[in-house]
Amino acid sequence: MDLWSRKDNVTDKRRTNHEGRSGVNLVGHSDEDQVTDNEIYTIASAGVDSEGRQSATVCGLDQHEETFTVDEALEAIGFGMFQWKLSVVTGLSWVADAMEMMILSILAPQLHCEWKLPGYQVALITSVVFAGMGVGSPLWGIVSDRYGRKTGLTMSVCWTLTYGVLSSLAPVYGWLLFLRGLVGFGIGGVPLSVTLYSEFLPVKSRGTYIMLIAVFWAIGSVFEVLLALLIMPTLGWRWLLFFSSFPMAVFLCFCHWLPESARFHLLMGKTGKAMETLARIAKDNGKPMPKRKLVGNQQNERGRIKDLFTPQYRKTTLLLWFIWFANGFSYYGIVLLTTELFQAGPLCTAIQGAKIEASYLLWTTLAEFPGILLVLFAIDRIGRKKSLALCFFMFSLCILPLFACIGRLSVTICIFIARAFISAGFQVAFVYTPEVYPTETRALAMGTSNAVSRVGALITPFVAQVMLRQSVSATLSFYLIFCLLGGVTSLLLPIETLGRGLEESCLDQEAGQQTATTNQTNKTAHSSNQR
């Protein structure tokens, strides 16, 4: 059915769901004057008195007027040139994020030799970045939910670029530690690119196309290793830090093109700007815009932590936080285990001091690409929850052979496959999280989830590096148990988002739940009458 031919059904549903609750109105906005061919109405969640509701009813929607939502607009316009350009621009920020993460495994050994740093000081260089990310992620999420996705993402990239370049000039260890912590704080906002990107995608293929961001992450990881191979032998680590900031500079050159989310504008009541953005997408994709009224929810209270723990989201939030923790703990754990196991010389011994060449690091990093292909095949076929569970369980299965003293080639294969699956699971979490939360808290949910994953990343060096020297079996058992629990937790998530439109407000879900309850009650009553 042509989405632009829908008439009564959307209007009737909106009126039924929202007029029946107190504090919800149908109101018009002055932004309507900015659009000539389309009339716009916004469903506002701000409470007004009965006179205001009566006035809104008079000025509101007629039951026979044609309306459309952002989801319907994006579904009809489809995935086209606009989304491809958006993929490249947001992908640049993801490349930069991956490079800043990958540089940690290259920088620490070099500084250990050049500055004669003890082990704990080397570890702090990595830990301070994750600590900065843990603090920055929820704060950037709040900024994004209150002031816009483009605003939050641009500010975080500017911050990261500034302190990334300054850290290449650090004269002593203390300054480097301080500046890298500030870099981590900025990197905490980069996942906002996934939030922004997801809000421009049609429902039917959202999972597949979000995986384009994962491709940029893999490209960034590989590019950083290649850059290290080229620069480190001649120019040293300072120039490596400097050139690693290049993708962020390129992103900032193109960020003027980056649009603000139409969903965010609609949530703020800026319906004229929302229509301008949708018209821009339609023009780039060569599709017509509807000559109808845009409807949506206006929500004045956005980016509040307590909204993640309302009754309809409490269970999802807690389960997701554990999933993100397990992903961060296991992903960075397998990266560190790769280094530690092969530094040990013969397996199952604890000989220290051998070095891993960057060329080997390049080969293990290539495991990211098979993981992406796996998720591309599974995520829109078996769903997000089952894809997450599959990745956790397969990671656990690949860990099992490492308990035995198997050969180096076998260990390499197991680690390669394990990293492919856990990196795939991480990407599924990036797909699922923005889908399950409404626009008013979507960026905050991503920020807090990312922060929890960094807690796991902070803890994992003490397991993969410190505990490994005491007991290989105990170390592997930690990763095995956490990933098994992660798989079970994934299956317990209450919502499957495959084929589900993005919620604009928590009011949408409440309305859907009320409608479902009403329908079930009516069906039960009808059955009783028949008996």
Side-chain angles (χ1 to χ4, degrees):
M1 182 180 63
D2 184 1
L3 288 172
W4 300 144
S5 64
R6 296 184 185 179
K7 296 184 178 181
D8 297 341
N9 57 340
V10 176
T11 305
D12 292 341
K13 179 181 177 181
R14 294 275 175 177
R15 290 175 62 84
T16 301
N17 289 347
H18 293 279
E19 289 182 355
R21 292 195 308 275
S22 61
V24 180
N25 315 274
L26 303 179
V27 297
H29 289 279
S30 59
D31 287 342
E32 294 172 20
D33 298 334
Q34 301 175 16
V35 182
T36 57
D37 295 332
N38 300 275
E39 293 182 70
I40 307 162
Y41 289 91
T42 302
I43 301 175
S45 61
V48 295
D49 56 23
S50 57
E51 293 181 359
R53 285 195 293 272
Q54 183 178 3
S55 174
T57 301
V58 172
C59 299
L61 297 174
D62 184 86
Q63 288 192 356
H64 299 286
E65 291 176 324
E66 298 180 5
T67 62
F68 70 97
T69 64
V70 173
D71 263 334
E72 290 175 329
L74 293 175
E75 200 67 26
I77 294 172
F79 190 97
M81 183 56 65
F82 175 87
Q83 283 85 359
W84 283 115
K85 291 189 289 187
L86 185 65
S87 300
V88 174
V89 175
T90 55
L92 283 170
S93 66
W94 214 230
V95 168
D97 190 359
M99 291 178 69
E100 290 293 343
M101 289 293 95
M102 200 66 198
I103 204 173
L104 297 175
S105 60
I106 301 169
L107 183 63
Q110 182 68 21
L111 291 176
H112 174 68
C113 297
E114 185 173 326
W115 285 358
K116 309 300 181 184
L117 299 177
Y120 78 92
Q121 288 187 337
V122 174
L124 277 176
I125 297 173
T126 300
S127 297
V128 75
V129 176
F130 288 126
M133 294 174 71
V135 175
S137 290
L139 294 180
W140 290 120
I142 292 173
V143 170
S144 182
D145 277 331
R146 292 183 180 177
Y147 304 105
R149 280 73 166 108
K150 178 180 178 179
T151 301
L153 179 59
T154 304
M155 288 176 61
S156 67
V157 172
C158 283
W159 180 290
T160 307
L161 174 62
T162 300
Y163 291 105
V165 172
L166 288 176
S167 65
S168 68
L169 304 175
V172 294
Y173 172 78
W175 272 107
L176 179 66
L177 203 65
F178 174 70
L179 291 170
R180 294 309 292 175
L182 293 176
V183 169
F185 181 87
I187 295 175
V190 176
L192 296 175
S193 59
V194 180
T195 303
L196 176 65
Y197 184 61
S198 67
E199 293 183 348
F200 285 101
L201 297 177
V203 174
K204 61 184 178 182
S205 54
R206 188 187 305 121
T208 300
Y209 288 122
I210 288 181
M211 295 313 299
L212 288 172
I213 299 293
V215 173
F216 283 101
W217 174 276
I219 290 173
S221 299
V222 173
F223 183 70
E224 182 63 31
V225 178
L226 293 174
L227 195 64
L229 285 170
L230 179 64
I231 292 177
M232 289 288 283
T234 55
L235 299 178
W237 62 269
R238 294 184 185 276
W239 283 103
L240 179 63
L241 285 177
F242 179 82
F243 284 116
S244 295
S245 302
F246 180 73
M248 296 183 192
V250 177
F251 169 83
L252 291 177
C253 291
F254 287 98
C255 70
H256 68 278
W257 175 88
L258 200 66
E260 183 53 85
S261 169
R263 299 176 188 274
F264 177 78
H265 278 316
L266 200 60
L267 203 66
M268 292 187 68
K270 297 180 179 180
T271 47
K273 291 186 177 181
M275 282 299 302
E276 289 174 3
T277 300
L278 293 174
R280 174 182 172 185
I281 300 172
K283 181 179 178 181
D284 281 1
N285 290 2
K287 298 293 180 68
M289 272 293 291
K291 306 296 183 181
R292 299 193 286 143
K293 298 177 179 65
L294 177 63
V295 293
N297 292 304
Q298 180 183 345
Q299 176 61 266
N300 295 325
E301 298 293 340
R302 302 181 304 276
R304 301 181 302 180
I305 291 287
K306 68 178 184 179
D307 290 337
L308 300 179
F309 295 95
T310 56
Q312 65 265 40
Y313 292 114
R314 185 184 302 117
K315 181 179 179 181
T316 298
T317 296
L318 294 176
L319 292 176
L320 261 182
W321 280 5
F322 181 81
I323 289 169
W324 278 81
F325 176 89
N327 263 317
F329 179 78
S330 303
Y331 176 81
Y332 293 104
I334 198 66
V335 173
L336 293 174
L337 278 176
T338 302
T339 304
E340 291 295 320
L341 286 175
F342 283 95
Q343 276 181 343
L347 295 178
C348 303
T349 65
I351 300 173
Q352 302 293 320
K355 293 183 178 180
I356 299 299
E357 296 182 356
S359 58
Y360 180 78
L361 188 60
L362 173 63
W363 285 110
T364 56
T365 303
L366 291 174
E368 306 277 347
F369 290 99
I372 294 170
L373 293 176
L374 167 73
V375 174
L376 282 173
F377 176 79
I379 196 166
D380 282 331
R381 289 175 173 82
I382 65 175
R384 282 54 161 152
K385 292 166 55 176
K386 291 180 181 178
S387 295
L388 271 171
L390 174 67
C391 292
F392 277 123
F393 290 144
M394 289 303 298
F395 178 89
S396 301
L397 187 63
C398 293
I399 289 293
L400 284 175
L402 300 181
F403 281 90
C405 291
I406 58 178
R408 182 177 293 270
L409 178 61
S410 299
V411 170
T412 303
I413 293 172
C414 288
I415 289 177
F416 186 91
I417 298 174
R419 180 163 176 176
F421 275 103
I422 199 62
S423 65
F426 225 145
Q427 300 306 328
V428 177
F430 273 103
V431 173
Y432 180 85
T433 305
E435 289 183 333
V436 78
Y437 289 97
T439 303
E440 65 200 60
T441 56
R442 186 170 295 128
L444 176 60
M446 280 291 292
T448 53
S449 297
N450 192 43
V452 171
S453 76
R454 303 311 164 185
V455 175
L458 269 171
I459 295 174
T460 203
F462 296 98
V463 178
Q465 293 176 321
V466 179
M467 183 180 291
L468 184 70
R469 294 163 190 168
Q470 307 299 322
S471 172
V472 173
S473 297
T475 300
L476 296 176
S477 296
F478 263 90
Y479 293 104
L480 180 66
I481 292 171
F482 268 105
C483 280
L484 287 174
L485 291 175
V488 174
T489 303
S490 301
L491 296 175
L492 292 176
L493 287 169
I495 301 171
E496 172 56 69
T497 59
L498 176 63
R500 179 176 181 261
L502 294 183
E503 300 286 351
E504 305 301 342
S505 170
C506 62
L507 298 174
D508 286 341
Q509 190 180 78
E510 292 173 5
Q513 292 172 344
Q514 290 179 2
T515 302
T517 302
T518 302
N519 291 341
Q520 182 63 37
T521 302
N522 292 339
K523 186 182 295 184
T524 302
H526 180 69
S527 300
S528 300
N529 292 336
Q530 285 182 334
R531 289 197 296 269

